[in-house]
Amino acid sequence: MTQLALVIDLNVCVGCHACVTSCKEWNTSGSAGAMADEHPYGKDPSGTFFNRVQTFEVGTYPDTQTVHFPKSCLHCEDPPCVPVCPTGASYKRASDGIVLVDYDKCIGCKYCAWACPYGARELDMKEKVMKKCTLCVDRIYDEALPVDERKPACVMACPTSARLFGDIHDPTSEAATAIREQGGYALMPEWGTQPANHYLPRRKTEMQVAPEQIVRADNPLRIDGKRPKPPQDSPSLDDTTSW
Amino acid sequence: MHPAFSVIFLTTLIGAGQGLFLALYALDVLARHGYLDTPLPASLVVSGALVAVALVALGLVASFFHLGRPERAWRAAAMWRTSWLSREVIALPLFMALLVAYALAHAVAPRWVPLVGALGVVACLALFVCTGMIYACLKFLQEWASPLTLVNFALLGLASGTTAAAALAAVWSPRLANGLALTAAVVTVAGLVARAASLARNARLRPRSTPQSAIGVKHPRVVQKAQGFMGSSFNTREFFHGASPARLLAIKRGFLALAFVVPVALLLLGVGGGWPALFALAFAAQYAGLIAERWYFFAQANHPQNIYYQAMS
């Protein structure tokens, strides 16, 4: 069974919000209708976003780490938001595991948002229905797009490739491999929701210097000296050439 | 959680309507088996059932204000296999229909009263379970995820409904009113015990979700510095009550006094002093207190999503 998901590398995310803006751009332009965007340049801007990048500080100064943390619907394998929906508007697709909302059936009762421990669902102020990340379901199957662009907009936009997309049930996929080999973990495991989206942990980056890098193989005796002066009439590339 | 008055009115109004029906039905059964020394006037039962219908209908109207798309409300009966909200959407009109049938049976066809009454009790109890389970089934809202939520919804509905029955009986049959008032006082005290138990339980709760589990970083100090936007969002409006601790405490003390102490005092005063008019006052006070009680019920629930919305920037 397929379970599409995102794997987000917290070691690589720089908190640039490119995924947030590209998500909004793609999804507010789609056939499902615009996402609310109230007073975007006013005093209290408010609107619907499927994806947010948050920032946390870990540790106490001066021993601190800044963790940028992108958060969207985790497409749980046991989604608590789905069974509570009274109309069946919220559903999890058996074919690919994406959790979706049928905007034409949603009555805007907000019960699914109450039932999501992650705050991944947002009621659209304009359309008065619940909205959430669709994993760009209108992109990833679009055969009009080149194959390498059939990915969620956030994944396409990420300048540091912190976001991987794939089938986490396929052990050979890039996403499943990253989870397996780089310690991918789920958020709030205490509620048994089995989020499909995983996060890769922060890792300490240390400088590795090998002896060969200090003692140059092409100059084993470390004989350094002035380089021979080129003749004055030799062509120069720039004005740093000495003569 | 941000307390929504639509849901506060829904749960308190239907609770009172359900309690009123149960009180009337109990009287009805006692009268039928000859345990009442006073005849039970049909006008009391009929008017009581109609008042109960009105209370439940008002609650239903209030619930529509909770919906973003009320014109699609009919769809909400679809998922009764999995959703307690869907089950409530079915149980509530069913209970209303049985209330009307119960009033009609008393007025024109007494032969049907036992059957319709028994079905009404089943629907009424089912409605209590559905309403309570809507909240109790959300396991990560730890303040709600307890059998005490069901017990409180049922007991507080029964208490306010019995007080309403006493107030009605004061009009139609003052001799029955005293018994009802004493019953209402006893149920109110039972409600106070159960509500105090849930307050004590909630005071001892430790949130299972932490900033550490929310972002998956194992360090004793994880503090949010930015939530990703400078304005407000659904997440900041829907899940925070925004009241100061002092105001919360005042509302807690207020509902404990108004929903429990004041009505019991008024009921006992009405019985002892022979002023059945006080029963209506007791109901008014208790209903106002239950609005505050339900506000507090919502405000006290601490949603784990709030961990993600602690700092603007």
Side-chain angles (χ1 to χ4, degrees):
Chain A
M1 225 186 59
T2 310
Q3 173 64 64
L4 296 181
L6 295 170
V7 176
I8 297 167
D9 192 344
L10 296 185
N11 203 44
V12 176
C13 176
V14 293
C16 71
H17 292 245
C19 53
V20 178
T21 49
S22 74
C23 166
K24 178 100 181 187
E25 187 277 329
W26 176 264
N27 286 296
T28 203
S29 325
S31 54
M35 290 152 73
D37 202 16
E38 305 278 293
H39 327 296
Y41 306 105
K43 200 172 158 193
D44 183 23
S46 185
T48 309
F49 284 81
F50 294 170
N51 183 27
R52 308 272 195 185
V53 176
Q54 309 190 317
T55 303
F56 291 82
E57 187 179 80
V58 177
T60 314
Y61 180 85
D63 188 15
T64 50
Q65 293 248 345
T66 301
V67 177
H68 299 296
F69 176 79
K71 179 169 85 76
S72 56
C73 171
L74 305 172
H75 299 278
C76 298
E77 305 210 31
D78 189 3
C81 53
V82 168
V84 302
C85 175
T87 68
S90 276
Y91 62 104
K92 184 173 177 69
R93 306 211 310 180
S95 57
D96 54 15
I98 301 180
V99 177
L100 287 176
V101 181
D102 184 338
Y103 301 148
D104 294 330
K105 277 190 188 167
C106 176
I107 59 172
C109 72
K110 303 171 225 163
Y111 193 29
C112 57
W114 293 10
C116 170
Y118 307 101
R121 291 169 164 255
E122 299 189 13
L123 188 87
D124 194 88
M125 298 159 78
K126 271 267 167 64
E127 294 189 23
K128 304 284 182 193
V129 295
M130 198 55 74
K131 296 201 169 179
K132 61 177 281 301
C133 162
T134 66
L135 273 184
C136 284
V137 72
D138 51 348
R139 264 193 86 88
I140 57 177
Y141 296 111
D142 187 355
E143 296 189 352
L145 291 173
V147 176
D148 60 343
E149 285 185 21
R150 292 180 202 164
K151 294 175 186 168
C154 57
V155 177
M156 295 295 297
C158 182
T160 60
S161 302
R163 304 172 77 93
L164 309 174
F165 168 69
D167 174 12
I168 59 161
H169 285 182
D170 171 9
T172 61
S173 75
E174 187 190 20
T177 309
I179 294 170
R180 190 172 63 244
E181 295 182 352
Q182 298 179 54
Y185 62 87
L187 304 181
M188 292 188 186
E190 60 270 21
W191 302 118
T193 54
Q194 293 176 266
N197 280 14
H198 281 68
Y199 287 78
L200 302 182
R202 300 274 288 177
R203 297 176 289 280
K204 188 132 186 162
T205 311
E206 285 181 45
M207 193 162 71
Q208 307 260 339
V209 182
E212 306 86 78
Q213 290 169 294
I214 296 169
V215 180
R216 283 159 49 192
D218 58 347
N219 186 10
L221 299 178
R222 303 172 72 181
I223 296 172
D224 295 327
K226 283 188 176 173
R227 290 177 166 256
K229 271 189 176 180
Q232 204 149 29
D233 55 350
S234 68
S236 73
L237 288 172
D238 49 54
D239 49 8
T240 60
T241 311
S242 61
W243 58 74
Chain B
M1 301 290 292
H2 176 77
F5 276 98
S6 49
V7 185
I8 291 175
F9 280 115
L10 165 70
T11 55
T12 50
L13 284 169
I14 65 172
Q18 287 166 273
L20 175 53
F21 166 73
L22 288 179
L24 294 172
Y25 181 77
L27 269 187
D28 193 9
V29 169
L30 289 178
R32 217 179 306 139
H33 292 87
Y35 290 111
L36 287 189
D37 44 8
T38 341
L40 177 64
S43 52
L44 170 61
V45 181
V46 173
S47 64
L50 291 180
V51 169
V53 172
L55 288 171
V56 176
L58 279 173
L60 185 61
V61 169
S63 75
F64 276 83
F65 287 93
H66 190 67
L67 303 182
R69 294 283 196 141
E71 75 277 10
R72 298 177 181 169
W74 59 273
R75 288 185 178 275
M79 298 306 280
W80 56 271
R81 287 180 197 81
T82 60
S83 172
W84 284 105
L85 178 52
S86 194
R87 289 169 197 160
E88 187 192 40
V89 165
I90 295 168
L92 196 144
L94 189 69
F95 176 57
M96 277 177 75
L98 285 165
L99 274 177
V100 173
Y102 186 66
L104 277 177
H106 262 283
V108 293
R111 200 159 58 89
W112 291 95
V113 165
L115 177 68
V116 175
L119 289 176
V121 169
V122 171
C124 179
L125 296 180
L127 184 54
F128 269 135
V129 172
C130 292
T131 312
M133 279 308 287
I134 286 176
Y135 306 97
C137 78
L138 301 174
K139 57 185 171 183
F140 44 80
L141 278 161
Q142 291 168 266
E143 290 83 356
W144 295 352
S146 155
L148 282 172
T149 301
L150 269 81
V151 172
N152 277 317
F153 272 67
L155 274 181
L156 300 184
L158 196 60
S160 57
T162 314
T163 311
L168 277 174
V171 178
W172 297 103
S173 172
R175 287 193 60 192
L176 287 172
N178 279 351
L180 277 169
L182 289 174
T183 313
V186 170
V187 180
T188 302
V189 170
L192 175 60
V193 171
R195 194 64 179 96
S198 94
L199 287 174
R201 171 187 177 272
N202 291 351
R204 292 163 52 92
L205 280 179
R206 286 181 54 174
R208 281 181 71 189
S209 286
T210 58
Q212 285 76 13
S213 77
I215 68 165
V217 174
K218 288 189 174 41
H219 191 288
R221 186 176 179 274
V222 175
V223 181
Q224 187 172 49
K225 291 290 167 185
Q227 60 189 9
F229 49 95
M230 307 287 282
S232 62
S233 79
F234 174 74
N235 303 78
T236 59
R237 290 187 296 266
E238 180 73 6
F239 298 97
F240 293 89
H241 54 75
S244 65
R247 194 162 152 228
L248 272 182
L249 187 65
I251 289 172
K252 182 166 104 174
R253 288 180 179 157
F255 90 68
L256 285 174
L258 213 50
F260 301 106
V261 181
V262 172
V264 168
L266 286 171
L267 287 167
L268 295 181
L269 198 63
V271 174
W275 299 307
L278 285 182
F279 301 158
L281 199 59
F283 175 73
Q286 188 161 39
Y287 185 71
L290 287 182
I291 290 177
E293 185 274 335
R294 217 41 56 88
W295 188 96
Y296 192 83
F297 171 79
F298 283 102
Q300 202 186 26
N302 188 23
H303 201 291
Q305 79 105 39
N306 291 2
I307 295 170
Y308 295 110
Y309 298 91
Q310 289 297 318
M312 190 74 81
S313 70

